[in-house]
Amino acid sequence: MWIPHKLLSPLKAESPRETIQASEAATDDRTFVVGFLLGNAVTKVWETDLLVAPTDARREIRLDGKSCVIDASANISGKLHEIIYTIPSTGAVAALSTTFQHVAGELDRMALQYGRSVEIAGWRIADVEHGARWRCVPFRPSALLAEQDPGTLPPAYAEVLRLYREARNATSAAWRLISAGAILDAAVSRRQPFVSKELDLANFTITTDMLVRSGTLATHPELKGATARVLRDLVETPRQALLSELTALTGNTNAPVSSNYRDAAAFAALANLVDLVARDIVLTSLRASGCFQIPEPVENAEPVSA
């Protein structure tokens, strides 16, 4: 089962509905606590390689003209694993938006300063006055049973398969869009290996289920029922802008990747949709050539061991 990566929204409530509703209905400035859980993209561990010194654990700054306290939280090994903001705000999303932009800049600096991997793994938010809590952490899917070996795949798909693995393994939504977007563009343009005249991949339909699974139902509802060509046309401009950034810094202030929370959430969801559509297109093309056939259901089947 395909799963989304790096979904930044919506927030998942951890408090009773009436508590959440009371917080969402309030419009006054009150104290929110926003904690960003940190991870290491190399070791896949929810901690960083940075030790927290007691003298540097807390500092005060101003964000959007408001006084804010930042705490560097260490795990039992003394390593930084969470950056916690205490800030006055009118709501959970507003508090998250303000602190998300600031912590993104902090992590950019830390990556350069220390030369170590550091990324946001998730976050948690609390409205202190109302006792309301939300969180956003990676989806942990159940393990899959091994499927029947599809055999040797056509050599023409080697580059496509490599690109798709790059997309799936990427921790960056930008790199996911670049890699999966290349597959999508090739399929819509009928470039190798998508040259079969029997398949109209450009008109591959984006379903509501795809929007739900990728997170784009909230960010790009207009894509419901759209075609692969429409999606390709939508993402090709930002994809080319990202590729240009890789070859030459242009000083473009309208880059596709933003530290603005709402923009980053929409971009991550769109990258997920491109990933999902690219995968379905590749599987459709391979099945048309006799690979990855969908087996007939078998009653009382025994689980297959990997």
Side-chain angles (χ1 to χ4, degrees), residues 178-226:
I178 288 173
S179 300
I183 297 172
L184 177 63
D185 182 50
V188 170
S189 303
R190 285 189 180 277
R191 293 197 302 274
Q192 285 284 0
F194 308 107
V195 293
S196 172
K197 295 181 179 179
E198 298 177 1
L199 291 176
D200 185 11
L201 297 176
N203 286 313
F204 182 91
T205 303
I206 298 171
T207 65
T208 301
D209 176 69
M210 290 178 173
L211 298 185
V212 171
R213 287 197 284 159
S214 64
T216 46
L217 185 61
T219 61
H220 298 81
E222 71 279 3
L223 289 175
K224 179 180 178 181

mmCIF file of all heavy atoms in Angstrom, residues 178-226:
data_model
loop_
_atom_site.group_PDB
_atom_site.id
_atom_site.type_symbol
_atom_site.label_atom_id
_atom_site.label_comp_id
_atom_site.label_asym_id
_atom_site.label_seq_id
_atom_site.Cartn_x
_atom_site.Cartn_y
_atom_site.Cartn_z
ATOM 1 N N ILE A 178 10.641 16.539 -7.903
ATOM 2 C CA ILE A 178 11.558 16.513 -9.043
ATOM 3 C C ILE A 178 11.605 15.126 -9.675
ATOM 4 O O ILE A 178 11.464 14.970 -10.898
ATOM 5 C CB ILE A 178 12.975 16.948 -8.600
ATOM 6 C CG1 ILE A 178 13.012 18.452 -8.320
ATOM 7 C CG2 ILE A 178 14.010 16.590 -9.656
ATOM 8 C CD1 ILE A 178 14.314 18.924 -7.713
ATOM 9 N N SER A 179 11.797 14.098 -8.858
ATOM 10 C CA SER A 179 11.966 12.737 -9.376
ATOM 11 C C SER A 179 10.677 12.165 -9.934
ATOM 12 O O SER A 179 10.628 11.683 -11.076
ATOM 13 C CB SER A 179 12.509 11.832 -8.260
ATOM 14 O OG SER A 179 13.748 12.293 -7.781
ATOM 15 N N ALA A 180 9.601 12.206 -9.144
ATOM 16 C CA ALA A 180 8.325 11.660 -9.615
ATOM 17 C C ALA A 180 7.760 12.509 -10.745
ATOM 18 O O ALA A 180 7.110 11.993 -11.661
ATOM 19 C CB ALA A 180 7.326 11.583 -8.456
ATOM 20 N N GLY A 181 8.022 13.826 -10.708
ATOM 21 C CA GLY A 181 7.549 14.713 -11.771
ATOM 22 C C GLY A 181 8.193 14.405 -13.105
ATOM 23 O O GLY A 181 7.570 14.589 -14.166
ATOM 24 N N ALA A 182 9.444 13.933 -13.087
ATOM 25 C CA ALA A 182 10.112 13.546 -14.334
ATOM 26 C C ALA A 182 9.409 12.356 -14.974
ATOM 27 O O ALA A 182 9.248 12.284 -16.203
ATOM 28 C CB ALA A 182 11.579 13.220 -14.060
ATOM 29 N N ILE A 183 8.966 11.421 -14.130
ATOM 30 C CA ILE A 183 8.225 10.251 -14.635
ATOM 31 C C ILE A 183 6.887 10.702 -15.206
ATOM 32 O O ILE A 183 6.474 10.273 -16.295
ATOM 33 C CB ILE A 183 8.009 9.232 -13.503
ATOM 34 C CG1 ILE A 183 9.362 8.710 -13.002
ATOM 35 C CG2 ILE A 183 7.127 8.080 -13.970
ATOM 36 C CD1 ILE A 183 9.268 7.841 -11.763
ATOM 37 N N LEU A 184 6.193 11.565 -14.482
ATOM 38 C CA LEU A 184 4.895 12.060 -14.928
ATOM 39 C C LEU A 184 5.021 12.782 -16.266
ATOM 40 O O LEU A 184 4.218 12.566 -17.192
ATOM 41 C CB LEU A 184 4.322 13.003 -13.865
ATOM 42 C CG LEU A 184 2.983 13.677 -14.176
ATOM 43 C CD1 LEU A 184 1.875 12.646 -14.321
ATOM 44 C CD2 LEU A 184 2.634 14.683 -13.075
ATOM 45 N N ASP A 185 6.044 13.624 -16.399
ATOM 46 C CA ASP A 185 6.251 14.367 -17.646
ATOM 47 C C ASP A 185 6.547 13.422 -18.804
ATOM 48 O O ASP A 185 6.038 13.614 -19.920
ATOM 49 C CB ASP A 185 7.396 15.362 -17.462
ATOM 50 C CG ASP A 185 7.641 16.205 -18.702
ATOM 51 O OD1 ASP A 185 6.665 16.773 -19.233
ATOM 52 O OD2 ASP A 185 8.795 16.284 -19.143
ATOM 53 N N ALA A 186 7.351 12.395 -18.566
ATOM 54 C CA ALA A 186 7.675 11.436 -19.626
ATOM 55 C C ALA A 186 6.433 10.679 -20.085
ATOM 56 O O ALA A 186 6.229 10.452 -21.287
ATOM 57 C CB ALA A 186 8.731 10.455 -19.129
ATOM 58 N N ALA A 187 5.583 10.308 -19.130
ATOM 59 C CA ALA A 187 4.367 9.561 -19.474
ATOM 60 C C ALA A 187 3.396 10.421 -20.283
ATOM 61 O O ALA A 187 2.840 9.974 -21.292
ATOM 62 C CB ALA A 187 3.693 9.048 -18.205
ATOM 63 N N VAL A 188 3.212 11.672 -19.855
ATOM 64 C CA VAL A 188 2.297 12.566 -20.567
ATOM 65 C C VAL A 188 2.833 12.896 -21.959
ATOM 66 O O VAL A 188 2.068 13.006 -22.927
ATOM 67 C CB VAL A 188 2.081 13.860 -19.744
ATOM 68 C CG1 VAL A 188 1.328 14.910 -20.566
ATOM 69 C CG2 VAL A 188 1.312 13.554 -18.464
ATOM 70 N N SER A 189 4.147 13.005 -22.074
ATOM 71 C CA SER A 189 4.777 13.363 -23.353
ATOM 72 C C SER A 189 5.050 12.156 -24.247
ATOM 73 O O SER A 189 5.617 12.306 -25.333
ATOM 74 C CB SER A 189 6.095 14.104 -23.088
ATOM 75 O OG SER A 189 5.874 15.252 -22.292
ATOM 76 N N ARG A 190 4.706 10.965 -23.787
ATOM 77 C CA ARG A 190 4.916 9.707 -24.538
ATOM 78 C C ARG A 190 6.386 9.480 -24.869
ATOM 79 O O ARG A 190 6.744 9.085 -25.965
ATOM 80 C CB ARG A 190 4.089 9.696 -25.828
ATOM 81 C CG ARG A 190 2.610 9.449 -25.627
ATOM 82 C CD ARG A 190 1.917 9.233 -26.959
ATOM 83 N NE ARG A 190 0.488 8.997 -26.809
ATOM 84 C CZ ARG A 190 -0.052 7.807 -26.528
ATOM 85 N NH1 ARG A 190 0.733 6.752 -26.375
ATOM 86 N NH2 ARG A 190 -1.356 7.680 -26.413
ATOM 87 N N ARG A 191 7.256 9.749 -23.892
ATOM 88 C CA ARG A 191 8.667 9.417 -24.073
ATOM 89 C C ARG A 191 8.928 8.031 -23.492
ATOM 90 O O ARG A 191 8.156 7.520 -22.683
ATOM 91 C CB ARG A 191 9.547 10.468 -23.390
ATOM 92 C CG ARG A 191 9.470 11.843 -24.035
ATOM 93 C CD ARG A 191 10.644 12.722 -23.615
ATOM 94 N NE ARG A 191 10.712 12.899 -22.178
ATOM 95 C CZ ARG A 191 10.044 13.839 -21.503
ATOM 96 N NH1 ARG A 191 9.246 14.680 -22.152
ATOM 97 N NH2 ARG A 191 10.171 13.955 -20.196
ATOM 98 N N GLN A 192 10.040 7.433 -23.902
ATOM 99 C CA GLN A 192 10.387 6.098 -23.404
ATOM 100 C C GLN A 192 10.367 6.081 -21.873
ATOM 101 O O GLN A 192 10.815 7.035 -21.234
ATOM 102 C CB GLN A 192 11.790 5.705 -23.885
ATOM 103 C CG GLN A 192 11.844 5.320 -25.335
ATOM 104 C CD GLN A 192 11.278 3.923 -25.587
ATOM 105 O OE1 GLN A 192 10.837 3.220 -24.662
ATOM 106 N NE2 GLN A 192 11.271 3.518 -26.837
ATOM 107 N N PRO A 193 9.814 4.999 -21.315
ATOM 108 C CA PRO A 193 9.291 3.795 -21.960
ATOM 109 C C PRO A 193 7.775 3.837 -22.215
ATOM 110 O O PRO A 193 7.164 2.817 -22.476
ATOM 111 C CB PRO A 193 9.623 2.718 -20.921
ATOM 112 C CG PRO A 193 9.432 3.429 -19.611
ATOM 113 C CD PRO A 193 9.903 4.845 -19.842
ATOM 114 N N PHE A 194 7.183 5.032 -22.121
ATOM 115 C CA PHE A 194 5.722 5.164 -22.211
ATOM 116 C C PHE A 194 5.288 5.484 -23.648
ATOM 117 O O PHE A 194 4.672 6.521 -23.901
ATOM 118 C CB PHE A 194 5.234 6.251 -21.257
ATOM 119 C CG PHE A 194 5.727 6.089 -19.849
ATOM 120 C CD1 PHE A 194 6.716 6.936 -19.335
ATOM 121 C CD2 PHE A 194 5.221 5.096 -19.022
ATOM 122 C CE1 PHE A 194 7.187 6.792 -18.040
ATOM 123 C CE2 PHE A 194 5.683 4.947 -17.722
ATOM 124 C CZ PHE A 194 6.673 5.794 -17.227
ATOM 125 N N VAL A 195 5.627 4.605 -24.580
ATOM 126 C CA VAL A 195 5.370 4.900 -25.995
ATOM 127 C C VAL A 195 4.251 4.039 -26.584
ATOM 128 O O VAL A 195 3.938 4.177 -27.766
ATOM 129 C CB VAL A 195 6.657 4.706 -26.823
ATOM 130 C CG1 VAL A 195 7.692 5.748 -26.445
ATOM 131 C CG2 VAL A 195 7.213 3.294 -26.644
ATOM 132 N N SER A 196 3.632 3.210 -25.779
ATOM 133 C CA SER A 196 2.570 2.343 -26.288
ATOM 134 C C SER A 196 1.386 3.178 -26.777
ATOM 135 O O SER A 196 0.879 4.052 -26.062
ATOM 136 C CB SER A 196 2.099 1.379 -25.199
ATOM 137 O OG SER A 196 0.954 0.665 -25.628
ATOM 138 N N LYS A 197 0.940 2.896 -28.009
ATOM 139 C CA LYS A 197 -0.219 3.601 -28.570
ATOM 140 C C LYS A 197 -1.534 3.087 -27.991
ATOM 141 O O LYS A 197 -2.589 3.678 -28.205
ATOM 142 C CB LYS A 197 -0.214 3.457 -30.085
ATOM 143 C CG LYS A 197 0.980 4.140 -30.766
ATOM 144 C CD LYS A 197 0.926 3.993 -32.272
ATOM 145 C CE LYS A 197 2.109 4.697 -32.926
ATOM 146 N NZ LYS A 197 2.093 4.558 -34.408
ATOM 147 N N GLU A 198 -1.446 1.987 -27.260
ATOM 148 C CA GLU A 198 -2.653 1.398 -26.677
ATOM 149 C C GLU A 198 -3.021 2.046 -25.345
ATOM 150 O O GLU A 198 -4.115 1.821 -24.826
ATOM 151 C CB GLU A 198 -2.451 -0.104 -26.486
ATOM 152 C CG GLU A 198 -2.208 -0.859 -27.792
ATOM 153 C CD GLU A 198 -1.946 -2.330 -27.564
ATOM 154 O OE1 GLU A 198 -1.983 -2.754 -26.376
ATOM 155 O OE2 GLU A 198 -1.698 -3.057 -28.537
ATOM 156 N N LEU A 199 -2.105 2.810 -24.771
ATOM 157 C CA LEU A 199 -2.364 3.457 -23.479
ATOM 158 C C LEU A 199 -2.394 4.965 -23.629
ATOM 159 O O LEU A 199 -1.476 5.556 -24.199
ATOM 160 C CB LEU A 199 -1.279 3.075 -22.470
ATOM 161 C CG LEU A 199 -1.242 1.628 -21.978
ATOM 162 C CD1 LEU A 199 -0.043 1.423 -21.059
ATOM 163 C CD2 LEU A 199 -2.525 1.265 -21.259
ATOM 164 N N ASP A 200 -3.443 5.581 -23.091
ATOM 165 C CA ASP A 200 -3.547 7.045 -23.103
ATOM 166 C C ASP A 200 -3.247 7.546 -21.699
ATOM 167 O O ASP A 200 -4.131 7.960 -20.948
ATOM 168 C CB ASP A 200 -4.958 7.450 -23.537
ATOM 169 C CG ASP A 200 -5.091 8.967 -23.688
ATOM 170 O OD1 ASP A 200 -4.050 9.653 -23.657
ATOM 171 O OD2 ASP A 200 -6.235 9.451 -23.823
ATOM 172 N N LEU A 201 -1.961 7.505 -21.326
ATOM 173 C CA LEU A 201 -1.563 7.856 -19.966
ATOM 174 C C LEU A 201 -1.746 9.331 -19.660
ATOM 175 O O LEU A 201 -1.897 9.713 -18.501
ATOM 176 C CB LEU A 201 -0.111 7.439 -19.736
ATOM 177 C CG LEU A 201 0.164 5.933 -19.835
ATOM 178 C CD1 LEU A 201 1.658 5.658 -19.696
ATOM 179 C CD2 LEU A 201 -0.620 5.173 -18.774
ATOM 180 N N ALA A 202 -1.753 10.169 -20.672
ATOM 181 C CA ALA A 202 -1.944 11.604 -20.445
ATOM 182 C C ALA A 202 -3.321 11.896 -19.866
ATOM 183 O O ALA A 202 -3.517 12.897 -19.171
ATOM 184 C CB ALA A 202 -1.752 12.369 -21.747
ATOM 185 N N ASN A 203 -4.277 11.020 -20.150
ATOM 186 C CA ASN A 203 -5.639 11.204 -19.636
ATOM 187 C C ASN A 203 -5.946 10.287 -18.459
ATOM 188 O O ASN A 203 -7.116 10.049 -18.142
ATOM 189 C CB ASN A 203 -6.657 10.980 -20.763
ATOM 190 C CG ASN A 203 -6.665 12.142 -21.742
ATOM 191 O OD1 ASN A 203 -6.692 13.304 -21.344
ATOM 192 N ND2 ASN A 203 -6.610 11.839 -23.032
ATOM 193 N N PHE A 204 -4.900 9.772 -17.829
ATOM 194 C CA PHE A 204 -5.046 9.007 -16.594
ATOM 195 C C PHE A 204 -5.790 9.880 -15.582
ATOM 196 O O PHE A 204 -5.423 11.029 -15.346
ATOM 197 C CB PHE A 204 -3.667 8.628 -16.070
ATOM 198 C CG PHE A 204 -3.669 7.791 -14.826
ATOM 199 C CD1 PHE A 204 -3.666 6.407 -14.884
ATOM 200 C CD2 PHE A 204 -3.660 8.399 -13.581
ATOM 201 C CE1 PHE A 204 -3.661 5.633 -13.728
ATOM 202 C CE2 PHE A 204 -3.657 7.650 -12.422
ATOM 203 C CZ PHE A 204 -3.651 6.258 -12.494
ATOM 204 N N THR A 205 -6.854 9.365 -14.981
ATOM 205 C CA THR A 205 -7.725 10.177 -14.126
ATOM 206 C C THR A 205 -7.286 10.174 -12.665
ATOM 207 O O THR A 205 -6.983 9.126 -12.088
ATOM 208 C CB THR A 205 -9.175 9.674 -14.208
ATOM 209 O OG1 THR A 205 -9.602 9.708 -15.572
ATOM 210 C CG2 THR A 205 -10.098 10.557 -13.372
ATOM 211 N N ILE A 206 -7.263 11.354 -12.076
ATOM 212 C CA ILE A 206 -6.959 11.508 -10.649
ATOM 213 C C ILE A 206 -8.264 11.363 -9.869
ATOM 214 O O ILE A 206 -9.205 12.127 -10.071
ATOM 215 C CB ILE A 206 -6.313 12.878 -10.368
ATOM 216 C CG1 ILE A 206 -4.994 12.991 -11.130
ATOM 217 C CG2 ILE A 206 -6.098 13.081 -8.874
ATOM 218 C CD1 ILE A 206 -4.387 14.370 -11.098
ATOM 219 N N THR A 207 -8.319 10.389 -8.987
ATOM 220 C CA THR A 207 -9.549 10.087 -8.251
ATOM 221 C C THR A 207 -9.579 10.809 -6.903
ATOM 222 O O THR A 207 -8.554 11.300 -6.414
ATOM 223 C CB THR A 207 -9.668 8.577 -8.006
ATOM 224 O OG1 THR A 207 -8.586 8.161 -7.145
ATOM 225 C CG2 THR A 207 -9.587 7.803 -9.327
ATOM 226 N N THR A 208 -10.765 10.821 -6.299
ATOM 227 C CA THR A 208 -10.906 11.407 -4.974
ATOM 228 C C THR A 208 -10.042 10.658 -3.969
ATOM 229 O O THR A 208 -9.440 11.257 -3.069
ATOM 230 C CB THR A 208 -12.371 11.369 -4.520
ATOM 231 O OG1 THR A 208 -13.176 12.088 -5.473
ATOM 232 C CG2 THR A 208 -12.545 11.996 -3.149
ATOM 233 N N ASP A 209 -9.957 9.337 -4.121
ATOM 234 C CA ASP A 209 -9.133 8.525 -3.224
ATOM 235 C C ASP A 209 -7.678 8.973 -3.271
ATOM 236 O O ASP A 209 -7.003 9.047 -2.235
ATOM 237 C CB ASP A 209 -9.238 7.047 -3.624
ATOM 238 C CG ASP A 209 -8.322 6.160 -2.797
ATOM 239 O OD1 ASP A 209 -8.592 5.994 -1.595
ATOM 240 O OD2 ASP A 209 -7.334 5.637 -3.357
ATOM 241 N N MET A 210 -7.185 9.305 -4.451
ATOM 242 C CA MET A 210 -5.803 9.784 -4.578
ATOM 243 C C MET A 210 -5.613 11.107 -3.856
ATOM 244 O O MET A 210 -4.578 11.330 -3.210
ATOM 245 C CB MET A 210 -5.444 9.943 -6.059
ATOM 246 C CG MET A 210 -5.302 8.650 -6.817
ATOM 247 S SD MET A 210 -4.930 8.966 -8.556
ATOM 248 C CE MET A 210 -4.614 7.287 -9.128
ATOM 249 N N LEU A 211 -6.589 11.986 -3.973
ATOM 250 C CA LEU A 211 -6.494 13.277 -3.284
ATOM 251 C C LEU A 211 -6.499 13.085 -1.776
ATOM 252 O O LEU A 211 -5.747 13.759 -1.052
ATOM 253 C CB LEU A 211 -7.650 14.189 -3.703
ATOM 254 C CG LEU A 211 -7.736 14.590 -5.180
ATOM 255 C CD1 LEU A 211 -8.869 15.587 -5.381
ATOM 256 C CD2 LEU A 211 -6.422 15.191 -5.668
ATOM 257 N N VAL A 212 -7.329 12.162 -1.289
ATOM 258 C CA VAL A 212 -7.407 11.913 0.150
ATOM 259 C C VAL A 212 -6.089 11.341 0.658
ATOM 260 O O VAL A 212 -5.530 11.797 1.654
ATOM 261 C CB VAL A 212 -8.570 10.956 0.469
ATOM 262 C CG1 VAL A 212 -8.519 10.514 1.933
ATOM 263 C CG2 VAL A 212 -9.905 11.621 0.174
ATOM 264 N N ARG A 213 -5.562 10.341 -0.030
ATOM 265 C CA ARG A 213 -4.349 9.664 0.438
ATOM 266 C C ARG A 213 -3.116 10.574 0.378
ATOM 267 O O ARG A 213 -2.232 10.481 1.216
ATOM 268 C CB ARG A 213 -4.094 8.400 -0.375
ATOM 269 C CG ARG A 213 -5.054 7.265 -0.043
ATOM 270 C CD ARG A 213 -4.518 5.943 -0.548
ATOM 271 N NE ARG A 213 -4.673 5.815 -1.985
ATOM 272 C CZ ARG A 213 -3.964 4.977 -2.731
ATOM 273 N NH1 ARG A 213 -3.023 4.229 -2.186
ATOM 274 N NH2 ARG A 213 -4.175 4.889 -4.027
ATOM 275 N N SER A 214 -3.073 11.455 -0.600
ATOM 276 C CA SER A 214 -1.908 12.335 -0.742
ATOM 277 C C SER A 214 -2.015 13.595 0.112
ATOM 278 O O SER A 214 -1.019 14.298 0.313
ATOM 279 C CB SER A 214 -1.736 12.737 -2.207
ATOM 280 O OG SER A 214 -2.848 13.511 -2.650
ATOM 281 N N GLY A 215 -3.214 13.900 0.602
ATOM 282 C CA GLY A 215 -3.405 15.114 1.394
ATOM 283 C C GLY A 215 -3.802 16.323 0.572
ATOM 284 O O GLY A 215 -3.930 17.428 1.091
ATOM 285 N N THR A 216 -4.029 16.126 -0.737
ATOM 286 C CA THR A 216 -4.340 17.262 -1.603
ATOM 287 C C THR A 216 -5.836 17.582 -1.672
ATOM 288 O O THR A 216 -6.200 18.583 -2.289
ATOM 289 C CB THR A 216 -3.824 17.015 -3.040
ATOM 290 O OG1 THR A 216 -4.176 15.694 -3.445
ATOM 291 C CG2 THR A 216 -2.336 17.187 -3.126
ATOM 292 N N LEU A 217 -6.669 16.770 -1.044
ATOM 293 C CA LEU A 217 -8.100 17.082 -1.075
ATOM 294 C C LEU A 217 -8.354 18.430 -0.403
ATOM 295 O O LEU A 217 -9.212 19.202 -0.834
ATOM 296 C CB LEU A 217 -8.915 15.992 -0.376
ATOM 297 C CG LEU A 217 -10.438 16.151 -0.454
ATOM 298 C CD1 LEU A 217 -10.923 16.121 -1.905
ATOM 299 C CD2 LEU A 217 -11.150 15.068 0.349
ATOM 300 N N ALA A 218 -7.566 18.733 0.637
ATOM 301 C CA ALA A 218 -7.723 20.013 1.347
ATOM 302 C C ALA A 218 -6.980 21.144 0.656
ATOM 303 O O ALA A 218 -7.433 22.287 0.684
ATOM 304 C CB ALA A 218 -7.230 19.865 2.786
ATOM 305 N N THR A 219 -5.853 20.830 0.010
ATOM 306 C CA THR A 219 -5.018 21.891 -0.557
ATOM 307 C C THR A 219 -5.273 22.150 -2.038
ATOM 308 O O THR A 219 -5.086 23.266 -2.515
ATOM 309 C CB THR A 219 -3.525 21.558 -0.372
ATOM 310 O OG1 THR A 219 -3.222 20.331 -1.062
ATOM 311 C CG2 THR A 219 -3.194 21.387 1.107
ATOM 312 N N HIS A 220 -5.684 21.108 -2.777
ATOM 313 C CA HIS A 220 -5.917 21.250 -4.215
ATOM 314 C C HIS A 220 -7.185 20.495 -4.630
ATOM 315 O O HIS A 220 -7.136 19.590 -5.469
ATOM 316 C CB HIS A 220 -4.723 20.715 -5.023
ATOM 317 C CG HIS A 220 -3.440 21.437 -4.786
ATOM 318 N ND1 HIS A 220 -2.637 21.174 -3.686
ATOM 319 C CD2 HIS A 220 -2.817 22.419 -5.487
ATOM 320 C CE1 HIS A 220 -1.573 21.952 -3.735
ATOM 321 N NE2 HIS A 220 -1.658 22.723 -4.802
ATOM 322 N N PRO A 221 -8.340 20.858 -4.075
ATOM 323 C CA PRO A 221 -9.580 20.126 -4.384
ATOM 324 C C PRO A 221 -9.966 20.217 -5.855
ATOM 325 O O PRO A 221 -10.714 19.368 -6.362
ATOM 326 C CB PRO A 221 -10.625 20.806 -3.485
ATOM 327 C CG PRO A 221 -10.071 22.179 -3.231
ATOM 328 C CD PRO A 221 -8.590 21.991 -3.159
ATOM 329 N N GLU A 222 -9.463 21.220 -6.566
ATOM 330 C CA GLU A 222 -9.794 21.391 -7.981
ATOM 331 C C GLU A 222 -9.225 20.276 -8.851
ATOM 332 O O GLU A 222 -9.620 20.129 -10.021
ATOM 333 C CB GLU A 222 -9.278 22.749 -8.484
ATOM 334 C CG GLU A 222 -7.762 22.864 -8.620
ATOM 335 C CD GLU A 222 -7.039 23.155 -7.319
ATOM 336 O OE1 GLU A 222 -7.704 23.210 -6.269
ATOM 337 O OE2 GLU A 222 -5.800 23.328 -7.358
ATOM 338 N N LEU A 223 -8.328 19.464 -8.294
ATOM 339 C CA LEU A 223 -7.724 18.370 -9.065
ATOM 340 C C LEU A 223 -8.589 17.109 -9.087
ATOM 341 O O LEU A 223 -8.241 16.136 -9.750
ATOM 342 C CB LEU A 223 -6.339 18.032 -8.506
ATOM 343 C CG LEU A 223 -5.254 19.081 -8.758
ATOM 344 C CD1 LEU A 223 -3.957 18.700 -8.059
ATOM 345 C CD2 LEU A 223 -5.018 19.274 -10.252
ATOM 346 N N LYS A 224 -9.700 17.128 -8.377
ATOM 347 C CA LYS A 224 -10.597 15.972 -8.397
ATOM 348 C C LYS A 224 -11.113 15.744 -9.821
ATOM 349 O O LYS A 224 -11.676 16.633 -10.448
ATOM 350 C CB LYS A 224 -11.785 16.209 -7.461
ATOM 351 C CG LYS A 224 -12.791 15.056 -7.440
ATOM 352 C CD LYS A 224 -13.943 15.353 -6.499
ATOM 353 C CE LYS A 224 -14.971 14.227 -6.522
ATOM 354 N NZ LYS A 224 -16.118 14.510 -5.611
ATOM 355 N N GLY A 225 -10.862 14.544 -10.352
ATOM 356 C CA GLY A 225 -11.299 14.209 -11.704
ATOM 357 C C GLY A 225 -10.399 14.743 -12.798
ATOM 358 O O GLY A 225 -10.667 14.533 -13.985
ATOM 359 N N ALA A 226 -9.323 15.433 -12.417
ATOM 360 C CA ALA A 226 -8.391 15.975 -13.416
ATOM 361 C C ALA A 226 -7.570 14.843 -14.027
ATOM 362 O O ALA A 226 -7.589 13.704 -13.554
ATOM 363 C CB ALA A 226 -7.474 17.018 -12.781
#
